[in-house]
């Protein structure tokens, strides 16, 4: 189990570190949101927007979606249908906070088995501002509850 959790964490680090650079270069009035699934079990999720459109189906841990256009500075709700391994599907709603212009990731963390799934919103451009001129920006997502703090030496 611990090996699988470490693998999911590593996948999320690699995904965010290699693709956050894509987030540079917006015109200032566009927002984009993608989903990263790093739950620590085999829970599948489907994501439906407030307007009724289903944008992700059977989204599994270790996966990352493409960026979806999102209206700047507008709060909305999304509904996630959660299917834990060997369990019954259930739905939960989350509020998406107003997003500034730029690129954002909603990381699905926790576990579907014990109903501890959460969404963590990451403002990629804000976290990586000014770091692409002379290097790279790596964002770590630790979705494992009660795990020890991460230590990174570069």
């Amino acid at each position: 189990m611990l090996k699988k959790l470490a693998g999911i964490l590593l996948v999320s680090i690699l995904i965010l570190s290699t693709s956050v650079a894509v987030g540079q270069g917006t015109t200032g009035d566009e927002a984009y949101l993608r989903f990263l699934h790093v739950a620590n079990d085999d829970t599948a999720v489907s994501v439906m927007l407030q307007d009724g459109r289903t944008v992700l189906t059977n989204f599994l841990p270790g996966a990352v979606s493409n960026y979806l256009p999102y209206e700047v500075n507008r709060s909305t709700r999304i509904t996630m249908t959660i299917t834990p391994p060997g369990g019954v599907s259930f739905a939960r709603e989350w509020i998406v906070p107003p997003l500034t212009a730029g690129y954002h990731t909603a990381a699905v963390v926790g576990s579907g088995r014990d109903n501890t799934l959460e969404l963590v919103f990451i403002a990629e451009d804000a976290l990586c501002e000014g770091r692409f001129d002379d290097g790279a920006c790596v964002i770590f997502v630790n979705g494992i509850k009660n795990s020890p703090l991460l230590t990174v030496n570069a």
Side-chain angles (χ1 to χ4, degrees):
M1 177 72 167
L2 187 57
K3 187 175 182 179
K4 182 177 180 181
L5 295 176
I8 290 172
L9 183 61
L10 180 61
V11 166
S12 65
I13 291 167
L14 292 174
I15 290 169
L16 286 175
S17 67
T18 57
S19 59
V20 91
V22 174
Q24 303 304 303
T26 62
T27 63
D29 59 352
E30 302 164 336
Y32 299 93
L33 178 65
R34 67 177 171 179
F35 291 86
L36 171 66
H37 192 341
V38 289
N40 59 10
D41 57 18
D42 290 327
T43 296
V45 298
S46 296
V47 178
M48 184 173 62
L49 301 179
Q50 190 169 349
D51 65 8
R53 289 182 297 142
T54 299
V55 293
L56 296 171
T57 305
N58 294 322
F59 196 56
L60 295 171
V64 64
S65 73
N66 291 327
Y67 286 101
L68 306 167
Y70 191 87
E71 194 172 326
V72 175
N73 296 322
R74 177 178 173 257
S75 181
T76 189
R77 280 189 288 262
I78 60 169
T79 302
M80 292 180 75
T81 301
I82 301 160
T83 308
V88 177
S89 297
F90 61 95
R92 281 187 61 194
E93 275 194 356
W94 273 277
I95 299 292
V96 178
L99 302 179
T100 58
Y103 287 78
H104 306 268
T105 296
V108 180
V109 300
S111 171
R113 283 193 182 114
D114 59 5
N115 196 18
T116 59
L117 284 183
E118 294 295 330
L119 278 180
V120 176
F121 290 91
I122 303 163
E124 296 173 29
D125 290 351
L127 288 174
C128 296
E129 186 175 358
R131 290 179 174 83
F132 289 109
D133 296 336
D134 60 354
C137 179
V138 178
I139 300 169
F140 291 89
V141 178
N142 183 357
I144 305 168
K145 283 195 178 235
N146 301 319
S147 67
L149 295 175
L150 295 175
T151 301
V152 179
N153 297 315

